[in-house]
Amino acid sequence: MSDAVLATIDRTPEPGMGVFNKKLGMWVFLLSEVMFFTSLIGSYIILRYAHPDHFAAPGELLNVNLTAANTFLLICSSVSMVKAFAAIQQGDLKGLQRWLLVTILMGTAFVSVQAYEYIMLSHEGFLPGLADYTAHAGGPLYGATFYVMTGFHGAHVSLGVLALIFVYIRALRGEYTVADHEGVEVIGLYWHFVDLVWIILFTIVYLI
Amino acid sequence: MNLSWIMPESVSTFGPALDNLYYVILVITGIVFVVTEVVLVYFMIKYRHKEGRKATYIEGSSKAEWIWTSATAVIVMALAIYSKGIWDEIRHPDMFPENAYELNVTAKQYEWNAAYAGPDGQLGTSDDIMSRNQVHVPVDQPVIVNLQSEDVIHSFFLPQLRVKHDVVPGRVWPIWFEATQTGEFPLACAELCGLGHYRMGGTLIVHSKEDFDSWLSEMQIEAEDDE
Amino acid sequence: MSSAIPVGDSHSEDHHDLGFIRTYIFSTDHKMIAKQFLVTSLLFLALGGMLAAMIRWQLGFPGQPLPFNLGAILPDTMAPGGIILPEFYNSLVTMHATFMVFFALMPLMAGVFGNLLIPLQIGADDMAFPRINMLSFWITPVAGAIMLASFFVEGGAAGAGWTSYAPLSTSGEWTGVYLGQILWLVSLIVLGFSSITGALNYVTTVIAMRAPGMTWFRIPLATWSLFVTAWLLLLAIPILTGGLILLLLDQTIGTAFFRPEGSGEPLMWQHIFWFFGHPEVYILILPAMGFVSEVIANRSRKPVFGYHSMVVAIVAIAFLGWVVWGHHMFQSGMNPFLGMSFMATTVVIAVPSAIKTFNWIGTLWKGDIHFDTPLLHAVSFVALFVIGGLSGIFLASAPVDIYLHDTYFIVAHLHYVLVGGSLFGIFAGITFWYPKMFGRMMNETLGKLHWGVSFIAYNLAFFPMHNLGVQGMMRRIYDPNQYEFLQSLQSTNTFISKSVFVFVSVQVLFAINFFWSMRKGKKAGDNPWDSNGLEWACPSPPPHGNFAEIPIVHRGPYEYSYPGREQDFWPQNEAPVESFGASTKPEHKPGE
Ligand code: HEM
Ligand SMILES: [Cu+2]
Ligand SMILES: [Cu+2]
């Protein structure tokens, strides 16, 4: 048996415990998430294409400026996540802690703005259910698709914030080092993914 | 016990073509079925374990693989092309007959309501003639049925005319057929539509042309009497 | 260099130290999780069988009170005086399929064998994420409990079919089932997490944790098919989950995704469902195809005929499976041109299925066939899958499908692939790997008896369903005698029902064999079938951590009856002898 064979096999000496697996696992999981959002976004596209009359023009009902600002916030949080990861790669634990906190705060702010938006919209009678569908421009499909897509995205952000808090606590305890910081990398992947989904949603729900 | 592979008699113009396709598939799959099963059983017997005999080390044969892969591909593609011709005849929008007699059938849990143009010659007006769970059509004349549902999905199934089409609420679904025989033929619902699905049956009544006209005028008189 | 790497010490702890709870209940050991899945899903299989028997009672003996005084047990909302009500019949049909598809076959395939075989066959000590794996199991009984509970709520269990077509399923207004339908949706949403977490593990494990030398084309076909199945699960289940969520919102908060009264699109549900649904049917059969390949090669002591084309066929099926879903909707009002595209893709997918079938037969050719129970089940799989595949051709032809759609022909087709195929494949798998799981052999006499009666009763029950379909009998109808043209089919229906009762009852033999052999079966030894796979290179049952040393793989998994060798098998991890082997047949190069 040759070393050549061994060398071609990508595995850690301690099977199943390596950083490689977790990262791979996250990638694989995100593919699954892609399919989940595909089903929601696909339904939206089909319904909007079939019933354009149900959907108000961009900006007519939704506050595009507010959400644009919110989008910017989320993009910034992706940048701060990158900063956090870069910090721990340099062994800068303080930097990691700082940037994680910034990311958490921006994530929380994003969800809060979204909640505020929901409240404002519901006051205007824009709801997901059937009951109100004569109340304003557009039909019931508008509210339903809007709340489902943004809502499930918001839930993903919220879960991400919780996970970040978990990572943050571990960072405060000094559990990440230059050599060992998979947790930061894996949550980072997730965070960027959620950000990416939002950019797509913002474009198709608010802008076109 | 009924173990027949023969379809019930068909009484629509496209019925025989559809049936032929079915029988062609039946024969082809029948042959493949018999050959594979016989070979399987033969191998099982011939190559059963015997003391002292060893299996022959064979990893495969790309020649054999090519043969059965391409043979299968050719057969199924041919069937698909054959099928397309018949499908187009039945479903292609351009193939819908021009001189067709038109009527509406509206499904709801658990009945079929047919509507025919009344004295004004227009469908969908107040003088329409209605019949419940009976669909009356003339023989030897194409018929277009506009299917509609008031509640859930039903499926308009005329076994002997080789007609089946789901009736999805929210839209009108035109289908056509032409009966070649007079008589009464079953109408069934083929899509689970609730607890009464199993009894959502009816009858297709194919009249001769004259009978059909006189049935229509009879119904008109009845309707006028009711008013 | 030595031929083994010491296992890291994280796993050197003995599992006896873990205590009862962590060993048997909240275990993270993939083999224990496999066993947990096995027992749970066999229970659901039994439940599904009982529901089927009730369906068949109604069809075989319409309007007669259920036997064994079942009427006294069942409440009046289901079967007053023992006579099944139409609404209960619809629940039975729905729940039978739901339990069989989601709670019996899927966990049996992925849950049991994915867990048992993947780490063992690739030479890993466990799954990549053992705790997520444990979670994957524990979600199943929770989802099952929710599903079961729906029988007992007001309005009864869901009755809109396992396909749950909207708008029938969107409101209790149409079915009288309110909470039951909601529980159905919630249960399947929850269950989805089990599939996804499981799949996540299988995919990662196969990619990252193969033993040295285990190149892609040395992976046994069981693991190959489980790996591909895991991808299908991973990508298809979230689609279903998305659809179920939308349907749940329609049910509960009054959205109108699928409800025409709010301009929703009922057909969109069908597209979502079948976009998931067709990959799903392959989830339900690919693993069985893998087990059957292993068993046939092993028991006929021959390499799998065309190993590479088998792998290619599995992968091809998995890709094509995404573009054929419309064949379930030929008569749904879908655009007729679209229908033709789906017909084209559907006939193409018949090709890899045919390739696999011929390869199995080719494997038997010139073999040295040992008629053990696993082989009998595996060959039955081939014989019956042929029938299911061929009946698929009828349905793939859109015009013929006009007549056959939603008739008993569909019921025959799906049971030939899912019972004749998947279930017999599972029996082949269980009987073959039982010794590895429990360290003892199953009883051969009981096993053969169970197989023989099952095989005959199965065919007597399901083959005539083709004929019913050809005579025009619709599926999912409570009482065919309502239709005059179906009345002459009653004797066939009665015959089918009796055969089903035999088929269902004879499964008791399997249950007896299963539990009896656990304690009383002959001791198995490490490698009772003289097999090549790595799973047979560790003790039966394997200890925590599986392999004393990480095995090193030198060859493919099917080197049976290799010319010039004394033994008719050649384990994957057996070190080559210098003078021999290399000269007659070069080793597969890594990474090929
Ligand atoms: C040769 C390959 C196959 C072809 C061409 C084929 C074709 C079809 C078609 C066209 C239908 C829809 C019929 C209708 O509803 O009118 C169908 C239904 C079905 N097929 Fe297949 N099939 C094949 C193999 C399989 C396999 C391998 C499985 C499962 C393991 C499977 C499981 C099913 C099931 C469960 C249904 C019925 C679903 C339902 O309506 O409840 N089929 N098949
Ligand atoms: Cu119906
Ligand atoms: Cu399919």
Side-chain angles (χ1 to χ4, degrees):
Chain A
M1 182 67 200
S2 60
D3 298 80
V5 171
L6 281 178
T8 56
I9 310 293
D10 201 350
R11 61 184 276 133
T12 45
E14 202 181 317
M17 296 294 143
V19 55
F20 187 64
N21 285 0
K22 278 191 199 149
K23 199 169 155 186
L24 182 64
M26 181 50 83
W27 274 113
V28 172
F29 174 69
L30 291 182
L31 284 175
S32 179
E33 290 275 34
V34 168
M35 294 309 272
F36 176 70
F37 279 105
T38 302
S39 72
L40 301 185
I41 295 175
S43 306
Y44 164 72
I45 293 173
I46 292 171
L47 291 173
R48 183 157 173 190
Y49 184 76
H51 303 279
D53 52 312
H54 277 239
F55 295 82
E60 191 174 314
L61 182 70
L62 302 175
N63 188 339
V64 178
N65 291 337
L66 176 69
T67 311
N70 212 17
T71 308
F72 182 69
L73 196 64
L74 199 61
I75 295 173
C76 289
S77 79
S78 245
V79 176
S80 66
M81 189 67 230
V82 172
K83 291 273 192 200
F85 180 60
I88 191 65
Q89 272 186 318
Q90 308 293 323
D92 174 7
L93 193 61
K94 279 271 161 325
L96 171 70
Q97 293 164 356
R98 191 169 55 242
W99 287 115
L100 276 177
L101 187 62
V102 171
T103 314
I104 291 170
L105 290 177
M106 288 201 276
T108 315
F110 176 86
V111 180
S112 312
V113 172
Q114 206 179 18
Y116 168 79
E117 183 195 18
Y118 277 19
I119 293 168
M120 298 317 282
L121 287 171
S122 65
H123 282 317
E124 287 176 43
F126 186 66
L127 290 166
L130 253 186
D132 62 308
Y133 80 101
T134 42
H136 52 80
L141 299 177
Y142 194 19
T145 50
F146 171 81
Y147 282 105
V148 164
M149 285 188 296
T150 56
F152 273 97
H153 179 266
H156 278 77
V157 177
S158 309
L159 283 178
V161 169
L162 288 181
L164 278 169
I165 292 174
F166 175 75
V167 171
Y168 182 59
I169 292 171
R170 292 196 58 183
L172 286 181
R173 291 212 211 118
E175 289 179 34
Y176 298 109
T177 60
V178 189
D180 175 17
H181 50 262
E182 309 97 77
V184 181
E185 191 175 0
V186 170
I187 184 66
L189 279 178
Y190 176 84
W191 195 253
H192 297 318
F193 167 78
V194 171
D195 196 4
L196 192 72
V197 171
W198 181 253
I199 292 172
I200 295 171
L201 286 182
F202 178 60
T203 314
I204 62 174
V205 175
Y206 289 82
L207 298 185
I208 50 179
Chain B
M1 276 223 322
N2 185 332
L3 296 181
S4 167
W5 284 83
I6 309 293
M7 291 168 107
E9 188 194 10
S10 81
V11 295
S12 66
T13 46
F14 49 66
L18 192 152
D19 292 9
N20 266 338
L21 174 58
Y22 163 82
Y23 289 115
V24 168
I25 299 179
L26 184 63
V27 169
I28 293 176
T29 53
I31 293 171
V32 176
F33 167 68
V34 171
V35 171
T36 33
E37 305 287 355
V38 164
V39 170
L40 189 66
V41 172
Y42 173 72
F43 282 1
M44 296 283 288
I45 296 167
K46 175 123 193 256
Y47 301 115
R48 69 188 182 279
H49 172 67
K50 291 200 190 101
E51 275 321 312
R53 193 168 56 82
K54 249 185 130 177
T56 316
Y57 182 87
I58 304 166
E59 284 186 292
S61 147
S62 30
K63 198 169 139 204
E65 302 266 5
W66 274 114
I67 292 174
W68 61 53
T69 306
S70 36
T72 316
V74 169
I75 294 175
V76 294
M77 303 280 193
L79 283 176
I81 292 167
Y82 182 5
S83 301
K84 180 173 187 308
I86 295 167
W87 178 257
D88 284 348
E89 188 188 331
I90 302 173
R91 289 278 166 88
H92 197 294
D94 297 347
M95 297 293 279
F96 270 58
E98 311 236 306
N99 57 337
Y101 179 78
E102 207 169 324
L103 61 124
N104 291 345
V105 169
T106 305
K108 71 172 191 206
Q109 285 181 333
Y110 304 100
E111 61 188 50
W112 303 97
N113 288 302
Y116 316 79
D120 65 357
Q122 298 279 319
L123 255 179
T125 51
S126 60
D127 70 343
D128 279 3
I129 294 161
M130 309 291 297
S131 66
R132 189 158 152 264
N133 287 336
Q134 290 189 339
V135 177
H136 295 257
V137 296
V139 74
D140 292 331
Q141 188 190 344
V143 177
I144 288 181
V145 183
N146 298 307
L147 296 169
Q148 261 168 289
S149 168
E150 286 182 13
D151 39 41
V152 299
I153 301 180
H154 304 273
S155 190
F156 184 75
F157 181 27
L158 298 169
Q160 285 189 266
L161 285 100
R162 311 294 186 249
V163 165
K164 186 183 286 138
H165 200 286
D166 285 4
V167 193
V168 183
R171 257 182 70 180
V172 182
W173 307 93
I175 57 155
W176 77 273
F177 59 84
E178 181 179 340
T180 54
Q181 258 182 47
T182 56
E184 299 194 356
F185 305 99
L187 157 66
C189 178
E191 184 67 69
L192 179 61
C193 58
L195 66 91
H197 165 56
Y198 71 100
R199 54 181 155 79
M200 192 171 158
T203 315
L204 175 81
I205 300 162
V206 183
H207 300 270
S208 69
K209 284 230 170 55
E210 306 79 66
D211 278 3
F212 184 69
D213 291 337
S214 56
W215 175 79
L216 270 183
S217 42
E218 235 171 74
M219 293 297 283
Q220 272 166 25
I221 295 165
E222 248 177 60
E224 276 156 26
D225 287 354
D226 285 352
E227 273 163 24
Chain C
M1 126 127 233
S2 83
S3 66
I5 303 168
V7 176
D9 39 22
S10 65
H11 283 276
S12 56
E13 63 201 302
D14 189 4
H15 77 284
H16 292 295
D17 300 343
L18 291 175
F20 179 81
I21 301 256
R22 287 207 41 210
T23 310
Y24 293 103
I25 311 218
F26 294 112
S27 170
T28 54
D29 179 5
H30 70 103
K31 301 172 295 290
M32 182 51 70
I33 295 174
K35 288 181 199 174
Q36 293 173 324
F37 263 121
L38 182 58
V39 173
T40 330
S41 43
L42 286 178
L43 285 176
F44 283 125
L45 185 70
L47 174 68
M50 285 189 266
L51 299 179
M54 286 207 261
I55 297 173
R56 280 318 313 184
W57 178 267
Q58 168 60 25
L59 291 174
F61 310 93
Q64 292 183 35
L66 287 159
F68 310 123
N69 208 12
L70 276 174
I73 305 169
L74 295 174
D76 281 358
T77 49
M78 298 180 184
I83 296 167
I84 293 173
L85 291 173
E87 51 268 47
F88 183 50
Y89 180 85
N90 287 351
S91 296
L92 284 175
V93 172
T94 306
M95 298 307 267
H96 160 68
T98 305
F99 275 114
M100 285 306 198
V101 168
F102 294 103
F103 290 92
L105 289 184
M106 275 172 77
L108 275 167
M109 298 281 177
V112 176
F113 288 100
N115 267 304
L116 177 72
L117 294 181
I118 289 179
L120 287 176
Q121 289 199 327
I122 63 171
D125 59 345
D126 203 325
M127 284 287 177
F129 311 112
R131 262 175 301 174
I132 293 185
N133 205 21
M134 177 178 86
L135 180 70
S136 162
F137 168 71
W138 276 105
I139 292 170
T140 313
V142 173
I146 299 174
M147 195 58 89
L148 265 178
S150 71
F151 272 112
F152 306 102
V153 300
E154 207 188 320
W162 84 284
T163 51
S164 216
Y165 277 10
L168 186 66
S169 56
T170 56
S171 164
E173 198 186 328
W174 310 125
T175 48
V177 181
Y178 290 87
L179 191 50
Q181 183 69 41
I182 292 174
L183 291 176
W184 187 87
L185 292 163
V186 171
S187 167
L188 290 187
I189 292 171
V190 171
L191 188 67
F193 287 100
S194 166
S195 298
I196 290 173
T197 46
L200 183 73
N201 246 314
Y202 309 147
V203 167
T204 313
T205 307
V206 174
I207 293 180
M209 294 177 63
R210 281 168 291 138
M214 183 57 86
T215 58
W216 285 104
F217 283 114
R218 284 179 185 172
I219 296 178
L221 288 173
T223 292
W224 251 116
S225 53
L226 288 162
F227 176 63
V228 172
T229 302
W231 277 108
L232 292 179
L233 282 167
L234 199 73
L235 302 177
I237 296 289
I239 300 276
L240 176 69
T241 305
L244 292 170
I245 288 171
L246 301 186
L247 192 51
L248 185 63
L249 295 175
D250 275 8
Q251 271 273 351
T252 49
I253 66 164
T255 56
F257 291 103
F258 307 118
R259 294 165 66 184
E261 65 266 39
S263 302
E265 293 288 334
L267 282 182
M268 191 171 80
W269 166 259
Q270 294 187 26
H271 281 289
I272 297 177
F273 185 85
W274 289 117
F275 186 62
F276 144 82
H278 195 89
E280 167 73 9
V281 306
Y282 285 108
I283 290 167
L284 295 170
I285 203 160
L286 281 179
M289 292 177 160
F291 313 152
V292 164
S293 305
E294 304 265 312
V295 172
I296 291 186
N298 175 289
R299 292 292 80 201
S300 42
R301 319 305 294 158
K302 262 194 67 191
V304 166
F305 196 93
Y307 169 84
H308 281 79
S309 63
M310 286 299 232
V311 174
V312 172
I314 295 173
V315 176
I317 287 176
F319 273 102
L320 287 169
W322 291 100
V323 291
V324 299
W325 80 91
H327 64 218
H328 296 272
M329 299 172 61
F330 286 141
Q331 322 311 335
S332 69
M334 188 175 63
N335 180 320
F337 303 108
L338 203 55
M340 285 301 90
S341 328
F342 281 118
M343 180 167 82
T345 52
T346 302
V347 299
V348 172
I349 209 172
V351 176
S353 310
I355 295 177
K356 296 195 73 80
T357 305
F358 293 131
N359 280 333
W360 287 315
I361 297 176
T363 309
L364 291 166
W365 175 54
K366 296 198 176 173
D368 173 25
I369 305 171
H370 295 252
F371 285 79
D372 303 290
T373 315
L375 177 95
L376 294 169
H377 283 294
V379 172
S380 309
F381 170 101
V382 178
L384 302 176
F385 179 70
V386 166
I387 301 178
L390 291 174
S391 61
I393 306 276
F394 288 79
L395 306 173
S397 166
V400 176
D401 185 68
I402 293 178
Y403 183 71
L404 293 178
H405 173 66
D406 270 337
T407 64
Y408 257 70
F409 199 89
I410 309 296
V411 180
H413 165 70
L414 75 91
H415 284 88
Y416 263 89
V417 282
L418 292 182
V419 181
S422 308
L423 192 59
F424 275 87
I426 283 168
F427 282 136
I430 295 178
T431 50
F432 190 69
W433 280 289
Y434 187 94
K436 188 47 65 182
M437 271 189 273
F438 299 103
R440 290 172 189 272
M441 305 298 285
M442 288 183 95
N443 180 295
E444 266 299 300
T445 319
L446 265 182
K448 288 205 170 94
L449 190 64
H450 163 249
W451 165 79
V453 182
S454 294
F455 184 78
I456 294 169
Y458 167 77
N459 282 293
L460 294 179
F462 290 95
F463 202 81
M465 290 187 187
H466 293 107
N467 310 95
L468 293 181
V470 171
Q471 298 315 310
M473 178 175 154
M474 293 78 72
R475 68 194 282 202
R476 294 169 172 167
I477 45 173
Y478 166 70
D479 181 6
N481 295 306
Q482 287 285 327
Y483 289 94
E484 212 180 294
F485 77 106
L486 298 177
Q487 282 167 3
S488 65
L489 303 176
Q490 185 54 53
S491 56
T492 318
N493 268 316
T494 308
F495 175 80
I496 289 175
S497 292
K498 287 178 183 161
S499 311
V500 167
F501 300 148
V502 175
F503 181 70
V504 171
S505 330
V506 77
Q507 303 313 314
V508 172
L509 288 185
F510 181 80
I512 293 173
N513 197 352
F514 187 85
F515 290 108
W516 182 85
S517 305
M518 250 184 232
R519 305 217 158 271
K520 299 281 160 83
K522 204 169 84 217
K523 283 248 191 256
D526 291 359
N527 190 1
W529 308 113
D530 290 342
S531 193
N532 294 342
L534 294 183
E535 75 267 38
W536 306 103
C538 57
S540 307
H544 211 124
N546 299 340
F547 300 93
E549 305 181 317
I550 291 178
I552 288 181
V553 178
H554 300 278
R555 59 190 67 77
Y558 303 115
E559 300 296 310
Y560 291 108
S561 303
Y562 191 80
R565 267 178 70 87
E566 189 64 31
Q567 263 181 341
D568 68 353
F569 64 111
W570 201 0
Q572 285 191 275
N573 62 325
E574 189 180 302
V577 185
E578 280 310 312
S579 60
F580 161 80
S583 57
T584 40
K585 185 168 178 282
E587 279 199 34
H588 291 273
K589 286 184 207 71
E592 79 189 313

